[in-house]
Amino acid sequence: MKKLKNEAALFKEAFHAGVKYAEGRGVVEFEPHDSASEKLLYIYRLLVHDKVIQPLPEDQVAEMTMRHKLAIWYSKQLPKDHPLLK
């Protein structure tokens, strides 16, 4: 797995976009006490279910790989000249 430039910042933005996506669909309402790991897994599974991203092999589903997948997903939505892509 090749690390993206600014992957941490991309993931942070992707996470917020994923929460907004899930809540916008009306399928979930995250509570303040929900852990970030639970939210990440839910967002990942929802994006796979909606066929927005390709699923990982089940033995590779881990927090690090899901973070990477979300960062890639978000980076593809940004314009090519976006600062996070430089």
Side-chain angles (χ1 to χ4, degrees):
M1 174 174 70
K2 184 180 174 189
K3 191 166 176 137
L4 301 170
K5 288 184 180 180
N6 300 317
E7 186 166 330
L10 282 168
F11 169 71
K12 185 176 179 182
E13 295 299 319
F15 186 78
H16 292 297
V19 168
K20 188 174 179 180
Y21 175 83
E23 290 180 341
R25 286 233 10 250
V27 294
V28 68
E29 188 173 313
F30 291 114
E31 301 292 329
H33 64 272
D34 292 338
S35 74
S37 295
E38 290 173 330
K39 290 178 187 177
L40 172 60
L41 181 60
Y42 190 90
I43 292 165
Y44 167 76
R45 297 276 188 215
L46 180 62
L47 292 174
V48 167
H49 177 267
D50 289 353
K51 296 181 171 55
V52 175
I53 61 173
Q54 291 287 324
L56 293 162
E58 206 51 43
D59 64 332
Q60 293 180 13
V61 175
E63 189 165 335
M64 190 172 93
T65 53
M66 289 186 294
R67 286 172 161 259
H68 184 71
K69 274 294 230 192
L70 260 64
I72 291 171
W73 164 69
Y74 189 72
S75 71
K76 290 181 179 180
Q77 298 179 45
L78 297 174
K80 294 204 183 288
D81 61 342
H82 194 278
L84 286 176
L85 300 177
K86 295 183 180 196

